[in-house]
Structures are given as structure tokens and as C-alpha cells.
Amino acid sequence: MAADYPDIDIAPFIDHALLNPTATPEQVEQWCAEADRFHFAAVCVYPIYVKQAAELLHGREPQVCTVIGFPTGATTPNVKLYEAQEAVENGAQELDVVINLGWLKTGKTSEVHREIAEICQETGKTVKVILETNLLTNAEKKLAAEISMDAGAALIKTSTGWHGGATVADVTLLKNVVKDTIGIKASGGIRTIGQAFDLIMAGATRLGTSRSVDLIRQRDTLEKGE
């Protein structure tokens, strides 16, 4: 590994994301095969493809992850809960839930907490709360992280990728809030191995990206000293 980069295997950090609105069953099959081949932490697909991914990855190492209330977070709590429960019934092991940004910004913190806590309690699965950091002030990021942590989330996630991506500054800020209590998923715009390493060193415990295989190739190139 080049001296400028840490000796870290990034594969176990990666959620291999297929969240293009035009995603096809053939792509889901490809993404699952790649996740299995490269030993990624998870494949993240839309709810419509959870059952297919669960069948393809049955008995395999990668987890099946899906998104809830994606990408706006503005659906009602009952709809989010139903979506989460149905996803679990179909085989989802991890749920990336978009926070209700309108509630957060207007001080409805109890409602935000209740929504997240109910999904955590009723599903019993790994819940990652998507904060959409690029739309929040630093104070709101801290508040959202504290609410998510208290509500039972396993991780907080920076972004959907629809409004900009993860930054080292945001991961550092969130790490200062949650310490080692819960994980941090940096997501959106991760295209280079340098970005990936910087985010991990800042405190990210997961990386959400659709360019997972390219990152592995970049890593391999570095290891060969090319």
C-alpha cells in the first residue's frame, strides 16, 4: 500500500448501492454477485428488489439492505413503518431510513424520535438513519445524530446522494457526537480510494457507494505500487 494511505481492507466497510431509479433485476443479480465476490458488508437496493437480493444472497456473507422513506423522508410514520416491516418480511436485514427533515427543522423532535424508535423496536433490525447533512446546519446535524442514537439506531448515515455527498467535515462532526456508541455511514459521491480512506480515518464505519468495484480496483492498483 502506498505510504500516503492506511493499510485497510475497505471491502468490509462497503454497502454496494444500487439506487438508480432505472435499476433492473439483471443489475440486482450483478450487484449481489459482486458483493459476494468482493466480500462487501451489504448490498443496498430498493424495496421492490429486496426479495430477489435475499434469495441471491441466502447463506452468503453480505447483508441485504434497503431504503425506507427514500429519498425525501416525508412520508407518514405509518407508511414508513409498514415499508420497513414489509422489507423485513421480504428478507431485509438492514434498513436505511430517511429522517423527516421538515419535522427536524421545525422543532418536532419528539415526533422524529418516535418515528425512528418505532421502526427500530418493531423490526429489530439494523437501522441506519439518513440525516441528509447537506440540507442541515451543524446544530441540526448534531441534534439529528443525538435523536437517532437515543431512538436506537445502529448507525447514522450522511446522505441519500440526491443532495450532495459525504464530507470528511461532516463525518468528523458526527463522530464527535456519537463517539463509539453507534456507527457512521458515509454515503454519496465516494468515487476514489483516497476519499474512502479519508472518510474511514475520520470515523466512518460504513461507506455507501455504487462505485464499489472501482474502489477495489483502485485499491489493488495501489497495493501493486502502480
Side-chain angles (χ1 to χ4, degrees):
M1 187 70 71
D4 292 341
Y5 295 105
D7 187 13
I8 296 173
D9 181 6
I10 65 165
F13 287 84
I14 291 175
D15 285 4
H16 193 27
L18 180 59
L19 297 174
N20 187 318
T22 60
T24 65
E26 290 75 21
Q27 287 177 306
V28 173
E29 186 172 356
Q30 176 189 338
W31 254 244
C32 289
E34 289 169 347
D36 185 39
R37 175 185 173 189
F38 294 108
H39 305 288
F40 295 144
V43 166
C44 190
V45 297
Y46 280 115
I48 192 69
Y49 291 126
V50 165
K51 188 173 288 187
Q52 180 189 1
E55 291 171 353
L56 290 167
L57 290 172
H58 179 70
R60 304 288 183 173
E61 185 178 356
Q63 301 288 287
V64 175
C65 173
T66 194
V67 286
I68 305 297
F70 191 88
T72 68
T75 46
T76 65
N78 286 341
V79 169
K80 281 186 183 175
L81 179 59
Y82 177 83
E83 187 176 29
Q85 290 173 322
E86 184 182 49
V88 170
E89 288 173 4
N90 287 335
Q93 297 155 300
E94 300 185 352
L95 306 168
D96 286 17
V97 182
V98 186
I99 201 169
N100 189 311
L101 295 163
W103 279 353
L104 183 73
K105 284 183 170 288
T106 54
K108 295 184 177 181
T109 54
S110 295
E111 288 87 341
V112 174
H113 183 283
R114 187 180 306 116
E115 179 178 82
I116 298 167
E118 190 170 32
I119 292 172
C120 292
Q121 292 164 7
E122 294 297 325
T123 65
K125 297 299 181 181
T126 296
V127 171
K128 310 179 204 125
V129 179
I130 306 176
L131 308 187
E132 203 68 284
T133 49
N134 291 292
L135 300 182
L136 303 178
T137 66
N138 283 347
E140 288 167 343
K141 294 168 194 174
K142 292 176 182 178
L143 177 60
E146 290 167 351
I147 292 170
S148 301
M149 185 166 48
D150 189 65
L155 298 92
I156 47 177
K157 176 177 170 180
T158 59
S159 324
T160 62
W162 289 57
H163 299 280
T167 67
V168 168
D170 279 340
V171 171
T172 301
L173 181 150
L174 296 173
K175 181 67 173 178
N176 287 334
V177 176
V178 303
K179 307 300 183 186
D180 295 319
T181 305
I182 63 174
I184 299 171
K185 178 175 173 179
S187 184
I190 305 171
R191 297 180 175 87
T192 71
I193 193 67
Q195 283 178 295
F197 282 137
D198 286 344
L199 291 164
I200 291 171
M201 295 305 291
T205 54
R206 288 283 189 96
L207 303 174
T209 178
S210 61
R211 298 174 181 255
S212 318
V213 175
D214 190 41
L215 291 178
I216 295 299
R217 288 173 179 149
Q218 291 179 43
R219 179 205 64 186
D220 291 346
T221 298
L222 278 176
E223 288 180 343
K224 292 174 183 175
E226 298 176 5

